[in-house]
Amino acid sequence: MEEGQWRAARGLVREAGRVVALTGAGISAESGVPTFRDAGGLWRSYRPEELATPEALARDPRTVLEWYEWRRSMLADCRPNAGHRALARFFLKCGESGLVTQNVDGLHTRAALEEAGAGAADAALPIELHGAVGRDRCDGCGARSPAEPLGDDLPRCGGCGGLRRPDVVLFGEPLDAAVLDRARVLAERADLCLVVGTSAVVYPAAALPLATLQAGGHIVEVNPQRTALTDAAAAALRGEAGTVLPALLD
Ligand code: APR
């Protein structure tokens, strides 16, 4: 069974004209970034309703901002792993960006810059559906700025005085419509959607591989576990992204 999955996956990658990849927290697990719903995942220890919703931010901004500062501090020592780097090399070689991520850890961007070296990294820069925890966004005017350490006072926007919060999509918040449209166009045009390290339970991200399928393309899944998309996949490679992606894409 496993060899057949690999043969099918390799064939689909080889024959694909356009590839889109949708990644989730699993691709960063080997970099030391906790996932959400796995054993040891963040939502096993914390309640999203208390830390990752607009209501929580309005009710108790300091707790929410401290939690995101803790997540930022955890990322400070994390580096892209072999899975991030293999995807970056693949899209740099393709010359056509096709990387869509749910992750806010910035590791795909770092992998693209590292793999591109002095060259242009654009083709391997991700569409960040859920934003990036390394940036702040003003809740008032939307102005973005690099994240700063949390002081005694709540961070305020220099322009309008609104609350500066992490530039991430909280549960119940809409995704940036232009960002989602770019991702949807990539998915609908792709011959192949590589779904890596996501439980595929959060929408609208999880609908992207189905858009590829509905447009006549195929799905290849890279995940140690079955997911909500496994049955729709033409091939499911049961393994860790850092091992599977270099073997599949290099
Ligand atoms: N390689 C590949 N996949 C892995 C690895 C690994 N080394 N380790 C774990 N996984 C898989 C797990 O089997 C699981 O299917 O990664 C998936 C992680 O799923 P979740 O924790 O649900 O993360 P994700 O799918 O990214 O969550 C989606 O939910 O909490 C929100 O906004 C948050 O972007 C996040 C969204």
Side-chain angles (χ1 to χ4, degrees):
M1 158 68 155
E2 184 58 12
E3 188 40 46
Q5 299 291 310
W6 271 94
R7 205 171 25 256
R10 286 203 171 95
L12 287 167
V13 170
R14 196 176 41 250
E15 287 145 27
R18 282 197 177 104
V19 178
V20 66
L22 173 70
T23 67
I27 196 170
S28 296
E30 292 156 86
S31 295
V33 184
T35 59
F36 294 99
R37 296 171 184 81
D38 261 355
L42 289 176
W43 300 146
R44 298 295 182 97
S45 313
Y46 300 96
R47 288 168 47 80
E49 302 76 25
E50 290 165 8
L51 295 164
T53 63
E55 294 76 16
L57 184 64
R59 182 176 61 241
D60 186 357
R62 175 153 293 278
T63 297
V64 172
L65 296 183
E66 283 175 350
W67 189 66
Y68 275 94
E69 182 152 68
W70 169 71
R71 286 184 65 190
R72 282 171 179 154
S73 67
M74 273 199 304
L75 287 172
D77 302 327
C78 296
R79 294 190 44 66
N81 63 55
H84 295 107
R85 291 198 299 275
L87 273 179
R89 284 194 299 275
F90 178 79
F91 284 111
L92 287 171
K93 198 168 48 185
C94 287
E96 184 170 332
S97 68
L99 182 50
V100 181
T101 189
Q102 301 170 86
N103 300 341
V104 298
D105 57 33
L107 291 179
H108 282 302
T109 299
R110 285 171 56 187
L113 296 172
E114 286 172 14
E115 290 299 324
D122 296 14
L125 292 177
I127 293 177
E128 294 173 316
L129 291 175
H130 296 163
V133 78
R135 281 193 308 263
D136 277 348
R137 171 163 47 87
C138 172
D139 239 5
C141 66
R144 288 179 166 84
S145 52
E148 290 176 3
L150 194 55
D152 295 337
D153 301 325
L154 291 177
R156 290 285 164 193
C157 170
C160 76
L163 177 69
R164 280 175 50 163
R165 36 72 59 87
D167 185 17
V168 298
V169 178
L170 301 176
F171 283 104
E173 287 187 320
L175 276 65
D176 178 304
V179 168
L180 183 56
D181 281 351
R182 281 178 56 213
R184 277 198 182 116
V185 166
L186 283 180
E188 287 161 1
R189 287 183 180 167
D191 306 303
L192 175 63
C193 182
L194 272 178
V195 183
V196 183
T198 181
S199 55
V201 296
V202 172
Y203 284 78
L208 294 171
L210 299 174
T212 299
L213 206 62
Q214 281 147 20
H218 299 281
I219 294 170
V220 167
E221 180 178 67
V222 177
N223 197 316
Q225 312 286 337
R226 283 181 59 82
T227 76
L229 277 176
T230 299
D231 291 340
L237 303 179
R238 290 282 164 259
E240 299 201 312
T243 306
V244 170
L245 289 176
L248 179 65
L249 300 175
D250 280 350

